[in-house]
Amino acid sequence: MRRNSSQSPYSPETWCSSWERVISGRSRKISSPVCSGEAVGLHEADGVSSVPSVATSTHAELARRLSPSVRFNEPMARHTSLRVGGPADMFFVARTTDQLIHAIEQAAELTVPWTVIGSASNLVVADDGIEGFVVKVVASDVREHAPTAGSETLVEADAGCILARLARQTALQGLAGLEWAVNVPGTVGAAVVNNSGAFGSCTAEHIVDVSVYLPFQGMRRLSATDIGHDYRTSRLKRRELNAVVLSATYRLVPGDREQLRGRIGELQRLRRSTQPSGFSVGSVFANPIGDAAGRLIEACGLKGFRIGDAEVARLHANFILNRGSARARDVTELMRHVQVAVWQHARRWLAPEVQLVGRWHRDEIDALLLPPGDLT
């Protein structure tokens, strides 16, 4: 494994002892699921691979119920924006809301562990892959409802709709409210779960309600209050609600099309000048109160620091790039290095904004959540 420690005042020895103390000893691998994710594909695999060795009679029965669309041993690196991740035991693309509900119903009935993703633009999938059944949501219908008593217009979008595309489309139709999202990666479903935001606005400020599916309970429409949004989180992300996002309804207002078009262009230019291109998961850490994660990381001299092919971006330090053949574990070790360096330099703890999914050791997950008081 390559570590370019010369690019940082914090050598591997500075943090390695803390890391090893956290993950030393025997640890049990667990599957870290995501109940609702982002969406829409990178490139799709052709055909169906051989049945994995972990397949059971329930896997075979689930494949029979959903065939011929189920794939086995699907490399998740093909479906994540970071291009890392081992194989999913079983993989299915839900192109409609009905297909999504049916897939989850069948998996739940057969007690097969299931994970719902979209474009996976904020997920780090384990090198050992994901246990059970992965459903990728690409359902992307958009419905405009009749204007309310005032001047507002309600727009409902399926969970698999790309949020940035929805922001552009509504702006070009003269509807204001989502311009801030024109550069946000991922989908409507992920935005609801994570309370995605940018440029001083966020999902929670524009949501009217959310349609969800709860296994064994059916569909339900939840208010914005029910979702419990907070900074980059929600009751869905905290697993207080075991539900899958089906669609979200936004409250938008009339705007001048030319002004909205100009604002969209301005935000896109700003994004290109301040955020790196390449394989990444966007912002890795949430901004601590009163500060910016990128500024804190840059102050530690960590721009360009690498572990394997995972690199702290030079243009914006709160991005980690896959420079070619990075592994998921390279990414998490780099995250941990950054956290410890910032804590030692500024006594600020950077909480991950990304989610770890798949066959991670419990200790590997806990290491990234370790509170500052536990560091020596």
Side-chain angles (χ1 to χ4, degrees), residues 308-331:
D309 261 0
E311 178 184 277
V312 176
R314 297 175 186 275
L315 184 59
H316 193 308
N318 198 23
F319 284 66
I320 289 178
L321 301 176
N322 179 353
R323 287 303 190 184
S325 58
R327 301 174 307 155
R329 191 157 283 113
D330 295 334
V331 175

Side-chain angles (χ1 to χ4, degrees), residues 27-30 360-367 369:
S27 58
R28 178 174 60 90
K29 281 192 177 180
I30 65 170
W360 293 97
H361 288 282
R362 178 74 258 175
D363 288 345
E364 290 176 301
I365 297 174
D366 289 344
L369 304 176

Side-chain angles (χ1 to χ4, degrees), residues 265-323:
E266 176 187 348
L267 292 176
Q268 289 176 325
R269 289 189 294 273
L270 181 60
R271 188 258 183 235
R272 287 192 293 269
S273 66
T274 59
Q275 297 179 15
S277 58
F279 301 140
S280 78
V281 285
S283 296
V284 175
F285 300 103
N287 289 326
I289 296 175
D291 212 329
R295 189 202 70 79
L296 290 165
I297 298 168
E298 182 176 357
C300 293
L302 289 171
K303 281 188 171 182
F305 184 84
R306 294 173 69 153
I307 292 181
D309 261 0
E311 178 184 277
V312 176
R314 297 175 186 275
L315 184 59
H316 193 308
N318 198 23
F319 284 66
I320 289 178
L321 301 176
N322 179 353
R323 287 303 190 184

Side-chain angles (χ1 to χ4, degrees), residues 35-211:
C35 293
S36 183
E38 304 137 291
V40 170
L42 307 172
H43 53 278
E44 303 287 342
D46 295 323
V48 179
S49 61
S50 59
V51 177
S53 59
V54 298
T56 64
S57 59
T58 53
H59 287 80
E61 175 59 18
L62 179 59
R64 186 192 67 79
R65 295 184 185 187
L66 299 175
S67 63
S69 302
V70 172
R71 306 172 192 163
F72 292 98
N73 291 326
E74 177 72 5
M76 291 306 298
R78 296 176 175 175
H79 303 279
T80 65
S81 62
L82 190 57
R83 296 299 199 276
V84 301
D89 293 347
M90 304 179 69
F91 183 86
F92 177 80
V93 177
R95 303 186 183 281
T96 67
T97 297
D98 287 344
Q99 287 182 351
L100 171 59
I101 293 173
H102 179 64
I104 299 304
E105 280 180 338
Q106 300 307 309
E109 182 179 313
L110 293 168
T111 66
V112 174
W114 52 270
T115 301
V116 176
I117 69 165
S119 59
S121 60
N122 75 325
L123 305 182
V124 182
V125 176
D127 295 317
D128 291 335
I130 302 177
E131 177 186 1
F133 182 47
V134 173
V135 182
K136 180 174 181 174
V137 185
V138 300
S140 56
D141 284 349
V142 177
R143 299 166 289 282
E144 183 176 323
H145 298 288
T148 60
S151 60
E152 298 171 341
T153 296
L154 301 183
V155 174
E156 183 178 7
D158 285 349
C161 183
I162 297 296
L163 183 60
R165 187 178 303 154
L166 178 66
R168 288 193 297 271
Q169 289 175 343
T170 53
L172 293 177
Q173 292 173 9
L175 295 174
L178 291 180
E179 305 85 78
W180 58 270
V182 70
N183 297 313
V184 175
T187 61
V188 165
V192 170
V193 172
N194 298 299
N195 191 19
S196 300
F199 301 111
S201 191
C202 65
T203 299
E205 295 175 0
H206 303 279
I207 286 289
V208 176
D209 56 38
V210 178
S211 177

Side-chain angles (χ1 to χ4, degrees), residues 345-360:
H345 181 264
R347 282 300 187 264
R348 302 301 298 269
W349 184 252
L350 298 181
E353 190 169 313
V354 300
Q355 293 177 271
L356 270 58
V357 179
R359 293 183 172 98
W360 293 97

Side-chain angles (χ1 to χ4, degrees), residues 192 203-210 221-230 233-235 241 249 251:
V192 170
T203 299
E205 295 175 0
H206 303 279
I207 286 289
V208 176
D209 56 38
V210 178
R221 193 167 287 275
L222 303 178
S223 69
T225 302
D226 294 330
I227 297 298
H229 282 128
D230 204 342
T233 190
S234 69
R235 292 181 64 201
L241 285 173
T249 301
R251 180 185 292 108

